Amino acid sequence: MRFSPRDASPRLSDHALAKGLLFNLLSALLIWSGFGLTTDSASGADLFDKHDFSLVKKAASELSPVARISMQDASKLKPLSATISTPCLIVKTSEGNFAKMLVSWGFRKHGEDRLPVLLIERFVTYRGDRPDMTAATGKDILLFAGFEFDFDIGQVVPAKAGGDISFSAESVLEAVPPAALFTLSKSFVSTEGPSSAPGDVSSGQGFAGDWIVNADDRWNGEWSLKVDSEGRILGKFVSAESRNTYDITGNVSGLPHQARLEIFLANTQVSVEAYLWSNTQNDMAGVVTVAGRKFGFFARRAQADQAAPQTKAEKQESAPEKGAGDK
């Protein structure tokens, strides 16, 4: 647990599962100062985001369901990745949909007492009849003892009111039949496919990879693009707001650093004219057209800062100066 000095009230963060003495110390701090929430925003999609409907369903088919998870059990669960410090759980809902969530356990001060709470840090519910669409999404949801959570509608509900999970006064999370609960401690994301590192710009492969996109602050999210040997582009757009997934098609144009894309949303089509930075290939920008109206967009390659090649200017600045005897 961690407190943010920027907030008037303390907030529970990703460290709510700390073990041993640290957990007891921070629990005591919660009694003294109350309880709240904080969410660390990561740049781009993390491994939790990359587990789409097909991977969540696949994981549920291969994992064994668990009936209940106590606070002590949760402290022993392995996080999904090194950058995610809280357990990832999968729920097959009472309506047959599949949901994923990141959760942490904690307490909220109430007078002289401590009330156990479950924090659903993030969750996404995928529709079983439309795998590319989500039924509900949300974050920073407190589930108090005696209540249930219905993932099909994305709401806290009273006990025995159709919830998929319940939380008890003993800090125990349980699946509410016919719903089923699974713990996801390993990644099901394939490591195969094109690298997110920049490719050969002359062939248009520089467009391949994962991109964090902002289109007029309306159609934001992540593009995952693949480019074949003939310059055809296929990919997926995952909306940052709804977590719905949409198809992308397109092709690299006559200029190797230019591409035209079509994104097929639920009720409209987005046409994209994109220009790739021809030097580093870590950025692109251009115009999106929706219903005849043009808007600007820009995109940054996911995790580009970790291995971005130097620009020409940076190379010139870092090159050693030639002495009088240099030719």
Side-chain angles (χ1 to χ4, degrees), residues 91-99 123-128 134-137 149-155 157 162-165 178-179:
V91 176
K92 184 176 182 181
T93 73
S94 59
E95 295 185 9
N97 296 322
F98 287 90
F123 84 90
V124 179
T125 305
Y126 296 101
R127 287 175 51 176
T134 56
T137 63
F149 192 79
D150 186 338
F151 285 93
D152 294 308
I153 61 175
Q155 297 291 332
V157 296
D164 300 299
I165 60 171

Side-chain angles (χ1 to χ4, degrees), residues 9-55:
S9 61
R11 298 170 75 83
L12 177 65
S13 78
D14 292 341
H15 301 290
L17 295 177
K19 300 178 181 179
L21 181 61
L22 179 60
F23 178 83
N24 293 331
L25 174 61
L26 294 179
S27 296
L29 287 174
L30 282 174
I31 300 175
W32 171 74
S33 57
F35 177 87
L37 306 174
T38 189
T39 301
D40 296 330
S41 59
S43 58
D46 57 17
L47 203 53
F48 174 80
D49 295 320
K50 291 180 183 295
H51 281 77
D52 58 13
F53 170 81
S54 61
L55 294 181

Side-chain angles (χ1 to χ4, degrees), residues 49-262:
D49 295 320
K50 291 180 183 295
H51 281 77
D52 58 13
F53 170 81
S54 61
L55 294 181
V56 169
K57 184 178 180 180
K58 182 176 186 290
S61 67
E62 296 183 10
L63 298 172
S64 299
V66 294
R68 63 199 306 273
I69 303 175
S70 67
M71 180 184 292
Q72 290 73 23
D73 296 332
S75 67
K76 301 175 184 177
L77 295 178
K78 181 181 178 182
L80 191 56
S81 74
T83 59
I84 299 174
S85 57
T86 51
C88 181
L89 307 179
I90 291 175
V91 176
K92 184 176 182 181
T93 73
S94 59
E95 295 185 9
N97 296 322
F98 287 90
K100 60 181 180 180
M101 61 174 168
L102 295 177
V103 294
S104 55
W105 276 248
F107 298 92
R108 180 180 177 87
K109 183 180 177 182
H110 180 68
E112 298 300 323
D113 298 326
R114 289 188 306 166
L115 300 179
V117 292
L118 183 79
L119 172 61
I120 302 177
E121 297 179 0
R122 283 187 278 167
F123 84 90
V124 179
T125 305
Y126 296 101
R127 287 175 51 176
D129 59 333
R130 288 284 305 276
D132 57 337
M133 304 293 287
T134 56
T137 63
K139 62 180 181 179
D140 295 343
I141 297 170
L142 285 177
L143 185 62
F144 286 87
F147 288 86
E148 300 178 355
F149 192 79
D150 186 338
F151 285 93
D152 294 308
I153 61 175
Q155 297 291 332
V156 176
V157 296
K160 301 181 180 179
D164 300 299
I165 60 171
S166 65
F167 191 65
S168 73
E170 291 74 32
S171 295
V172 175
L173 170 64
E174 295 185 83
V176 180
L181 183 65
F182 308 85
T183 61
L184 183 62
S185 58
K186 69 173 184 177
S187 171
F188 278 75
V189 175
S190 173
T191 57
E192 300 177 357
S195 170
S196 60
D200 179 10
V201 70
S202 64
S203 66
Q205 287 295 325
F207 285 98
D210 297 332
W211 299 87
I212 309 305
V213 182
N214 184 318
D216 197 51
D217 241 1
R218 305 187 192 197
W219 302 281
N220 301 344
E222 182 173 2
W223 295 351
S224 294
L225 305 179
K226 298 180 181 180
V227 183
D228 67 16
S229 59
E230 297 182 1
R232 289 188 295 261
I233 299 176
L234 292 175
K236 296 289 184 181
F237 164 51
V238 179
S239 168
E241 180 179 1
S242 67
R243 305 311 299 174
N244 289 338
T245 302
Y246 306 99
D247 290 328
I248 300 176
T249 63
N251 60 277
V252 180
S253 70
L255 296 174
H257 60 279
Q258 180 184 11
R260 297 183 182 276
L261 308 173
E262 300 293 335

